[in-house]
Amino acid sequence: MDHQVKIGYSFWGFLGPGITDTPDGGRSHRRPFIDGIIAADHEVVFLQPNRDLTEAGDHIADSHLFDAGLPPVDVLFLEWRWPISGRNTTICGSPGHTCDLHRQNRLLYHYTHRAHTPTVIWDKDRQLPAHHPVRQRPNVVVCEATLTPRRGTVPLLFPLDDVLLDAADPVKLAQRERPNPLCYIGNQHGRNAAFDRYFAPAAARTRHLIAGKWTHTSRWPNLNFIGRVPFTEVASLYGQSLATVLLLPDRYAAAGQMTQRIFEAVLAGCLPLAPATINRVHMFVPPQLIVNSGGDTIRSLHWLDNIRGSHEHVNLLAACLERLELFRLSRQLQNLNEMLAPLTANRDVQPAGGRS
């Protein structure tokens, strides 16, 4: 794409650390992605509320433009929202209501359907139904954060800032003290089976910690659940841990969709053990870190403990860093440009407008 476009960007989350008691995996990658778009000389206006300011009291997003109306844009970009019972499906103003879904519906109607504005939908959670009519519109591109996107969709992986990847030093990472052999950072939703199979048997036999929202833990009474932690503590927890296990919901594992946890861990030198059931797992981790069972996890932890700080440890970290090239920000920005180019090629089409 060789021309500037104005992008109306809709996301429900934060550019900064946000607040602790809320899910938002985008905090690891959203700000570099936005910064990269702007650095490519495009204009961005945010179409959802400034939650950094209103909820976290953080002025990190003050330099960006937020618009609660329907400003003129060349492209609508949606981080896809879906119905969540009791939260965004309730009446506006009712207790616990969030208006992300209502706002998204308004944006879709105004821009995508009525004004035929080029629209990119980033289905980051694989929640857009396969037969949703929006998929059939000629002005819409749907992308997924997966190596094997569904038919009619294109890949857009969670982006990792080039600067962070280029600065990572496997030698220094291998030399760090790591008092925890094992950790897991993330929420429980959709992960019970993988947790039981790959993580719990090893955790029962070694020092560990489990951070995140785990509301039903009675089946694991002796494991160390510490609850949600501030986003600012994630890198430190990984930096104190020798290894983690990449636990994915089945719909992610089957599609080869890896979350941001892999680069959060590896950049801190925490080695990611990956279940063999993850589609194209060999593209995410070296073969020595692929596990088939809890027994494999236990054996891997013993081996990793024995090679701490060694040349073998350094090489293993280097191999993990090499595989993070998949997520490199500049690569994802190129993917975005390739999506936008045909959508915005006809510059005679006027951007959607409306009163704010």
Side-chain angles (χ1 to χ4, degrees), residues 107-174:
L107 298 174
L108 282 168
Y109 173 75
H110 176 77
Y111 294 110
T112 310
H113 298 289
R114 194 176 66 139
H116 307 287
T117 304
T119 300
V120 177
I121 295 174
W122 197 7
D123 188 15
K124 299 170 72 174
D125 292 273
R126 295 180 61 79
Q127 293 284 359
L128 179 62
H131 300 292
H132 196 292
V134 76
R135 291 181 181 272
Q136 309 307 317
R137 298 191 63 88
N139 58 320
V140 172
V141 171
V142 179
C143 45
E144 297 177 342
T146 170
L147 297 180
T148 59
R150 285 175 282 192
R151 184 176 181 180
T153 66
V154 295
L156 182 65
L157 303 186
F158 300 130
L160 168 57
D161 193 341
D162 292 36
V163 173
L164 295 178
L165 182 54
D166 292 339
D169 184 341
V171 174
K172 291 181 179 178
L173 292 173

Side-chain angles (χ1 to χ4, degrees), residues 259-271:
T259 72
Q260 73 286 350
R261 298 302 180 190
I262 189 170
F263 51 77
E264 290 176 351
V266 174
L267 290 177
C270 180
L271 289 163

Side-chain angles (χ1 to χ4, degrees), residues 124-328:
K124 299 170 72 174
D125 292 273
R126 295 180 61 79
Q127 293 284 359
L128 179 62
H131 300 292
H132 196 292
V134 76
R135 291 181 181 272
Q136 309 307 317
R137 298 191 63 88
N139 58 320
V140 172
V141 171
V142 179
C143 45
E144 297 177 342
T146 170
L147 297 180
T148 59
R150 285 175 282 192
R151 184 176 181 180
T153 66
V154 295
L156 182 65
L157 303 186
F158 300 130
L160 168 57
D161 193 341
D162 292 36
V163 173
L164 295 178
L165 182 54
D166 292 339
D169 184 341
V171 174
K172 291 181 179 178
L173 292 173
Q175 293 172 346
R176 290 182 63 170
E177 292 292 328
R178 300 183 184 274
N180 288 320
L182 182 64
C183 78
Y184 179 75
I185 303 175
N187 295 334
Q188 182 172 16
H189 183 67
R191 292 172 170 85
N192 280 355
F195 186 85
D196 265 333
R197 180 173 178 180
Y198 301 105
F199 190 94
R205 299 176 58 167
T206 191
R207 183 174 177 177
H208 68 279
L209 61 85
I210 304 153
K213 186 178 180 181
W214 288 72
T215 54
H216 304 288
T217 60
S218 59
R219 62 201 285 182
W220 308 291
N222 298 318
L223 299 192
N224 183 26
F225 295 92
I226 65 172
R228 276 181 167 156
V229 297
F231 178 71
T232 51
E233 293 183 13
V234 168
S236 176
L237 291 179
Y238 278 129
Q240 298 170 34
S241 303
L242 180 63
T244 186
V245 183
L246 300 172
L247 303 177
L248 300 177
D250 289 344
R251 70 182 187 279
Y252 288 4
Q257 174 164 328
M258 184 55 64
T259 72
Q260 73 286 350
R261 298 302 180 190
I262 189 170
F263 51 77
E264 290 176 351
V266 174
L267 290 177
C270 180
L271 289 163
L273 301 173
T277 51
I278 297 173
N279 194 347
R280 302 196 182 183
V281 65
H282 62 283
M283 297 187 69
F284 297 120
V285 299
Q288 304 97 305
L289 299 181
I290 298 173
V291 294
N292 289 279
S293 65
D296 272 0
T297 302
I298 293 168
R299 286 186 288 273
S300 295
L301 289 176
H302 284 313
W303 168 60
L304 293 175
D305 188 50
N306 288 332
I307 66 167
R308 282 176 186 253
S310 69
H311 187 64
E312 190 173 9
H313 189 189
V314 172
N315 287 342
L316 199 56
L317 284 165
C320 290
L321 288 166
E322 182 179 358
R323 282 164 172 79
L324 293 186
E325 289 289 336
L326 279 173
F327 303 93
R328 183 179 281 273

